[in-house]
């Protein structure tokens, strides 16, 4: 099972990206934001955007657990 290692929403806020900014500037989709709020996995394109926004590698954001 793949899980988040970090609280993505909180990390985005710390990086200066609140929900209003993200949705207003079309940085992430509404559905991606909903999935992040529910702690559900997002697609690769969204993960790539998160890596860019947070200046992290995918392994910094997600991990595999048996």
């Amino acid at each position: 099972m793949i899980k988040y290692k970090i609280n993505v929403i909180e990390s985005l806020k710390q990086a200066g990206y609140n929900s209003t900014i993200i949705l207003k500037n079309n940085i992430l989709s509404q559905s991606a934001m909903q999935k992040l709020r529910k702690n559900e996995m997002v697609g690769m394109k969204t993960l790539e955007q998160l890596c860019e926004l947070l200046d992290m590698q995918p392994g910094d954001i997600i991990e595999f657990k048996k």
Side-chain angles (χ1 to χ4, degrees), residues 28-37 40 42 46 49:
L28 297 174
S29 69
Q30 178 79 26
S31 63
M33 287 298 292
Q34 289 292 57
K35 285 182 178 183
L36 291 170
R37 285 188 190 104
E40 296 174 356
V42 294
T46 301
Q49 290 171 310

Side-chain angles (χ1 to χ4, degrees), residues 4-51:
Y4 291 106
K5 292 170 75 172
I6 62 170
N7 181 324
V8 178
I9 297 293
E10 187 59 36
S11 297
L12 286 167
K13 285 180 186 175
Q14 290 175 359
Y17 298 100
N18 65 30
S19 297
T20 305
I21 290 171
I22 290 170
L23 296 173
K24 182 178 177 183
N25 295 323
N26 227 9
I27 296 170
L28 297 174
S29 69
Q30 178 79 26
S31 63
M33 287 298 292
Q34 289 292 57
K35 285 182 178 183
L36 291 170
R37 285 188 190 104
K38 294 178 182 178
N39 225 21
E40 296 174 356
M41 274 300 120
V42 294
M44 289 301 294
K45 183 169 174 66
T46 301
L47 181 59
E48 184 178 331
Q49 290 171 310
L50 291 172
C51 288

Side-chain angles (χ1 to χ4, degrees), residues 15 17 48-58 60-61:
Y17 298 100
E48 184 178 331
Q49 290 171 310
L50 291 172
C51 288
E52 187 173 333
L53 293 171
L54 299 173
D55 192 28
M56 294 182 172
Q57 293 294 314
D60 298 329
I61 299 171

